[in-house]
Coordinates of all heavy atoms in Angstrom, one line a residue:
N388 N 123.2 48.4 48.4 CA 123.8 49.3 47.3 C 124.9 50.2 47.8 O 125.7 50.7 47.1 CB 122.7 50.2 46.7 CG 122.0 51.2 47.7 OD1 122.0 51.0 48.9 ND2 121.3 52.2 47.2
K389 N 125.1 50.4 49.2 CA 126.1 51.2 49.7 C 127.5 50.6 49.6 O 128.5 51.3 49.6 CB 125.8 51.6 51.1 CG 124.5 52.3 51.4 CD 124.2 53.4 50.4 CE 122.9 54.2 50.7 NZ 121.7 53.4 50.7
K392 N 129.1 52.2 46.5 CA 129.5 53.6 46.7 C 130.7 53.6 47.6 O 131.7 54.4 47.4 CB 128.4 54.4 47.4 CG 127.1 54.5 46.6 CD 126.1 55.3 47.5 CE 124.8 55.5 46.8 NZ 123.8 56.2 47.6
N417 N 121.0 51.6 56.6 CA 121.9 50.6 56.0 C 123.2 51.2 55.6 O 124.2 50.5 55.6 CB 121.1 50.1 54.8 CG 119.8 49.5 55.1 OD1 119.7 48.6 55.9 ND2 118.7 50.1 54.6
H418 N 123.2 52.5 55.1 CA 124.4 53.1 54.7 C 125.4 53.2 55.9 O 126.6 52.9 55.7 CB 124.1 54.6 54.2 CG 125.2 55.5 54.2 ND1 126.3 55.3 53.3 CD2 125.5 56.6 54.9 CE1 127.2 56.2 53.5 NE2 126.7 57.0 54.5
G491 N 123.8 59.1 53.2 CA 123.6 58.1 52.1 C 124.7 57.9 51.1 O 124.6 57.1 50.2
S493 N 125.9 59.9 49.1 CA 125.6 60.4 47.8 C 126.2 61.7 47.5 O 125.8 62.8 47.9 CB 124.0 60.5 47.7 OG 123.4 59.3 47.5
P525 N 114.3 52.0 44.8 CA 114.1 53.0 45.7 C 115.1 54.1 45.6 O 116.3 53.9 45.4 CB 114.1 52.4 47.1 CG 114.9 51.1 46.8 CD 114.8 50.7 45.4
S526 N 114.7 55.4 45.7 CA 115.6 56.5 45.6 C 115.4 57.4 46.8 O 114.3 57.9 47.1 CB 115.3 57.3 44.3 OG 116.3 58.2 44.0
S527 N 116.5 57.7 47.6 CA 116.4 58.4 48.8 C 117.4 59.5 49.0 O 117.0 60.6 49.3 CB 116.4 57.4 50.0 OG 116.4 58.0 51.2
S528 N 118.7 59.2 48.8 CA 119.6 60.3 48.9 C 120.1 60.6 47.4 O 120.8 61.5 47.2 CB 120.8 60.0 49.8 OG 121.6 58.9 49.4
G529 N 119.7 59.8 46.5 CA 119.8 60.1 45.1 C 121.0 59.6 44.3 O 121.1 59.7 43.1
G530 N 122.0 59.1 45.1 CA 123.2 58.6 44.4 C 123.1 57.5 43.4 O 123.7 57.4 42.4
T531 N 122.2 56.5 43.8 CA 122.0 55.4 43.0 C 121.3 55.8 41.7 O 121.8 55.5 40.6 CB 121.0 54.4 43.7 OG1 121.6 54.0 44.9 CG2 120.8 53.2 42.9
Q532 N 120.3 56.7 41.8 CA 119.7 57.1 40.6 C 120.6 58.0 39.7 O 120.6 57.8 38.5 CB 118.4 57.9 41.0 CG 117.5 58.3 39.7 CD 116.1 58.6 40.1 OE1 115.7 58.6 41.3 NE2 115.3 58.9 39.1
F563 N 113.8 67.2 45.1 CA 114.6 66.0 45.0 C 115.1 65.8 43.6 O 116.3 65.4 43.4 CB 113.9 64.8 45.6 CG 114.7 63.5 45.7 CD1 116.0 63.6 46.2 CD2 114.2 62.3 45.4 CE1 116.8 62.4 46.3 CE2 114.9 61.1 45.5 CZ 116.2 61.2 46.0
D623 N 113.1 44.9 52.3 CA 113.3 45.6 53.5 C 112.1 46.5 53.8 O 111.4 46.9 52.8 CB 114.6 46.4 53.6 CG 114.5 47.7 52.9 OD1 114.5 47.8 51.7 OD2 114.3 48.7 53.6
Y626 N 112.9 50.7 52.2 CA 113.2 51.1 50.9 C 112.6 50.2 49.8 O 111.8 50.5 49.1 CB 114.8 51.2 50.7 CG 115.4 52.2 51.6 CD1 115.9 51.8 52.8 CD2 115.6 53.5 51.2 CE1 116.6 52.8 53.6 CE2 116.2 54.4 52.0 CZ 116.7 54.1 53.2 OH 117.3 55.0 54.0
T627 N 113.1 48.9 49.8 CA 112.7 48.0 48.7 C 111.3 47.6 48.9 O 110.6 47.3 47.9 CB 113.7 46.8 48.6 OG1 113.7 46.2 49.9 CG2 115.1 47.2 48.2
T654 N 118.1 47.0 46.4 CA 119.2 47.8 46.9 C 119.6 47.3 48.4 O 120.4 48.0 49.0 CB 118.8 49.2 47.0 OG1 117.5 49.3 47.5 CG2 118.8 49.8 45.6
G655 N 119.0 46.3 48.9 CA 119.4 45.7 50.2 C 118.5 46.2 51.3 O 117.3 46.3 51.1
G656 N 119.0 46.2 52.5 CA 118.3 46.7 53.7 C 117.6 45.7 54.6 O 117.0 46.1 55.6
Ligands
LIG971 C1 120.4 53.9 50.8 C2 119.4 53.0 50.3 C3 118.6 53.2 49.2 C4 118.6 54.5 48.5 O1 119.7 54.7 47.7 P1 120.2 56.2 47.4 O2 121.4 56.1 46.6 O3 120.4 56.8 48.8 O4 119.1 57.0 46.8 C5 117.7 52.3 48.7 N1 117.6 51.1 49.4 C6 118.4 50.8 50.4 C7 118.2 49.5 51.1 C8 119.2 51.7 51.0 O5 119.9 51.4 52.1

Side-chain angles (χ1 to χ4, degrees):
N388 63 340
K389 304 310 181 307
K392 296 180 183 181
N417 303 298
H418 162 65
S493 283
S526 193
S527 176
S528 65
T531 302
Q532 187 161 0
F563 186 40
D623 84 283
Y626 299 93
T627 52
T654 47

